[in-house]
């Protein structure tokens, strides 16, 4: 059974710092991995999707890496801003053929202090 | 393009009452998902539909939860009778093969069972 863990559960940093969020998963047989952002009272917004054959994806100040063999992914946020404050969720899509469900971690609640 | 619509946004009920949530996916998306997100946890898949057929309902508590997707478009999720532990945010998502099966989420319905 695939399990996804995110550390830390909460993180508070001053504005302008670069930071890294961690995600680990127990079964390396994945189809892809996604990072989502969730704002209070809102749904999930997809930030980056990494296919199992890829090592990283970049979008603006965000960079996500994937090491499938070790079951790890990191989300790097450069030059953090108060608007980056949100909960960040990592989710994997199992590699079982036809399986489209996502298995989520519990999230990291990020606070950027002005 | 309109996103995934969910209603109501909030619902407060007493235990043993029944409740229903509604979801309208993005137009043309054949796959629809219902997730349950308990406070402090990541979303957990309850049920996945492909058009109006059920693909995965392995984590749906079938003694009290039911879902349907008539005509392969809108969907309703019902809880009867509700328990205290059902307090959570219920998220609906949809995806399409043309859009590479990326799941787009609605804002969710926050349920409080007293």
């Amino acid at each position: 059974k695939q399990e996804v863990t995110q550390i830390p559960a909460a993180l508070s940093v001053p504005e302008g710092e670069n930071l890294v969020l961690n995600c680990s998963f127990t079964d390396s047989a994945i189809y892809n991995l996604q990072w989502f952002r969730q704002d209070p009272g809102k749904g999930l917004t997809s930030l980056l999707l990494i296919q199992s054959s890829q090592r990283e994806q970049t979008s603006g100040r965000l960079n996500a890496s994937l090491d499938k063999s070790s079951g790890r992914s990191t989300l790097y946020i450069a030059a953090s801003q108060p608007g980056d404050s949100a909960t960040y969720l990592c989710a994997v899509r199992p590699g079982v053929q036809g399986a489209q469900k996502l298995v989520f971690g519990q999230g990291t609640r990020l606070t950027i202090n002005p | 393009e309109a996103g995934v619509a969910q209603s109501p946004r909030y619902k407060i009920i007493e235990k043993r009452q029944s409740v229903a949530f509604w979801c309208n996916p993005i137009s043309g998306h054949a796959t629809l998902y219902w997730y349950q997100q308990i406070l402090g946890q990541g979303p957990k898949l309850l049920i996945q539909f492909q058009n109006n057929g059920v693909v995965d309902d392995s984590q749906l508590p079938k003694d009290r939860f039911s879902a349907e997707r008539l005509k392969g478009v809108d969907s309703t999720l019902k809880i009867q009778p509700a328990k205290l532990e059902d307090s959570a945010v219920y998220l609906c998502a949809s995806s399409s093969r043309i859009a590479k099966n990326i799941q787009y989420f609605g804002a969710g319905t926050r349920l409080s069972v007293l």
Side-chain angles (χ1 to χ4, degrees), chain A residues 38 42-44, chain B residues 3-6 23 90-94 104-109:
Chain A
Q38 186 172 32
K42 304 279 182 69
L44 279 64
Chain B
V4 176
Q6 290 189 246
C23 173
Y90 292 84
L91 295 163
C92 179
S94 69
Y104 295 86
F105 286 79
T109 296

Side-chain angles (χ1 to χ4, degrees), chain A residues 66-89:
Chain A
L66 174 64
D67 184 343
K68 202 171 64 166
S69 61
S70 67
R72 294 173 188 257
S73 176
T74 62
L75 178 67
Y76 175 83
I77 302 177
S80 59
Q81 302 171 358
D84 295 330
S85 297
T87 295
Y88 290 80
L89 292 155

Side-chain angles (χ1 to χ4, degrees), chain A residues 1-82:
Chain A
K1 177 186 172 185
Q2 178 72 268
E3 293 183 0
V4 180
T5 303
Q6 291 185 247
I7 296 173
L11 181 64
S12 180
V13 301
E15 180 179 1
E17 280 201 3
N18 303 324
L19 58 100
V20 174
L21 307 181
N22 297 293
C23 171
S24 62
F25 46 96
T26 56
D27 188 344
S28 62
I30 65 170
Y31 187 81
N32 60 40
L33 182 145
Q34 267 185 283
W35 282 93
F36 290 87
R37 170 183 173 138
Q38 186 172 32
D39 293 283
K42 304 279 182 69
L44 279 64
T45 302
S46 179
L47 297 173
L48 290 164
L49 183 149
I50 312 175
Q51 299 293 351
S52 62
S53 58
Q54 297 176 319
R55 297 283 292 181
E56 66 177 328
Q57 281 285 340
T58 297
S59 176
R61 295 182 294 107
L62 305 180
N63 176 275
S65 68
L66 174 64
D67 184 343
K68 202 171 64 166
S69 61
S70 67
R72 294 173 188 257
S73 176
T74 62
L75 178 67
Y76 175 83
I77 302 177
S80 59
Q81 302 171 358

